[in-house]
Each structure stands twice: as C-alpha cells, then as structure tokens.
Amino acid sequence: MSFLRRRSAANPAGPDFDVLAMDPGDWPGNLGAGLLPAPDGSCQGVFLRYDLFGGRGPAMIIGNLPSGSPAREVAEGQVPFEVAQLLLALEHDEDVTVVEQEDVPVMQGDNLLIVRRLKLSESRVSCVQFDRSDDVLVTIAAWDRPITDDLYALLKPLPAELFQQG
C-alpha cells in the first residue's frame, strides 16, 4: 500500500516515519499535533487531534507509534494511549476498559488491510488499530461517531513540514 512506507532518511526533519492521517484540508474542524519524545530526543509517536466540537474537545485522535515506543505497551484490558488521551481531553473520568477485540479484513484498492476493532466499555468511543508495513502501529480513537471502512480511504501520509519547528 502506498501509504504504508518509511520516510526517506534524506529528509530527517520531523518524525522518522510517515504520519498516517487525514489531510488537515480534508477535515472541517481544527487540527492539533503532538510528538511523544523519548529521553534521547527521538520521536516515539505522533498524535493528531481533530476537533469538531468548537474547542470543547477532540472528535478523533490518530496515533502513529513506532516499534519500541513505550506507549504501545498496555496491560490486558487497558485502553490504547490514544483512547486515554481522548478521554482525558474530553474530561471523561469514568474507568474505560477493552471488552473485546476482533480482526476485520478491509480492502484498500487491491490490497488487504487487517484492522483490529476494539470494543470498549464506553460505547461512545470507537477504536481501531492496524500495523503499517514499517511496524508503526496506527490507532484511531473517535468520540461519539463510528469508524467506518470509508475512513481508511481518507488516510494518507502527511508531509514532514507539518511537524517542523520554526
């Protein structure tokens, strides 16, 4: 799949992997981005926060976590980092757990993508995960809206310039 690729080492600015998300121009709300730094300064994850609620919290968070990122390590039944961040931003303080998960095949053009759908104890949160070919875990967490197969067609790598400081 064209969007499942590692970014060229010739362009080292920003994260060392493509960020798979929806282009900000394709989203009608506000976009925020955050990097998860490691103590050595390397990038351990990129999170994009899409806000449709007029500043009252995000509607969706998309995370990209490379292999070895500590945010990928969650205990059995614990929600992914992106879900925890979504709930924190929405000031939702009830305990939420993963109830079950199911692997679902999704066709992307001529390619097959295996998507892990997580069912959570909070039914207003939708969450899916899949692995990119470069071992980056993509997690999509949405509040009060289902994640449909149509969403995967909107995902693409974002340019590194979005993550450059200056």
Side-chain angles (χ1 to χ4, degrees):
M1 299 177 81
S2 62
F3 59 78
L4 302 180
R5 60 181 167 74
R6 181 167 293 282
R7 195 166 53 78
S8 167
N11 186 3
D16 62 354
F17 51 91
D18 286 331
V19 177
L20 186 61
M22 291 178 289
D23 188 288
D26 296 340
W27 189 259
N30 298 323
L31 170 75
L35 301 177
L36 181 65
D40 66 0
S42 64
C43 180
Q44 291 298 304
V46 177
F47 302 90
L48 298 170
R49 176 179 156 154
Y50 297 93
D51 184 355
L52 280 179
F53 299 143
R56 291 177 285 135
M60 182 181 296
I61 292 181
I62 300 177
N64 288 247
L65 297 174
S67 178
S69 174
R72 286 177 72 155
E73 300 171 15
V74 295
E76 182 76 25
Q78 184 179 356
V79 297
F81 182 81
E82 295 81 357
V83 172
Q85 292 299 305
L86 179 67
L87 295 171
L88 183 65
L90 293 169
E91 299 179 355
H92 185 281
D93 55 3
E94 295 176 26
D95 189 35
V96 178
T97 60
V98 175
V99 177
E100 65 182 71
Q101 67 181 30
E102 173 187 21
D103 288 343
V104 178
V106 174
M107 289 305 294
Q108 278 299 96
D110 295 333
N111 299 297
L112 180 65
L113 179 67
I114 303 300
V115 175
R116 194 168 31 261
R117 292 191 185 274
L118 303 179
K119 182 179 179 184
L120 306 174
S121 58
E122 170 54 80
S123 63
R124 292 175 289 182
V125 178
S126 299
C127 182
V128 297
Q129 296 181 311
F130 58 90
D131 295 304
R132 293 187 349 200
S133 61
D134 58 356
D135 201 24
V136 169
L137 176 65
V138 176
T139 301
I140 304 170
W143 178 259
D144 209 21
R145 55 186 21 95
I147 298 172
T148 64
D149 292 352
D150 297 342
L151 174 68
Y152 307 114
L154 299 174
L155 298 176
K156 55 190 154 195
L158 296 181
E161 296 80 42
L162 283 178
F163 303 96
Q164 291 176 340
Q165 293 182 0

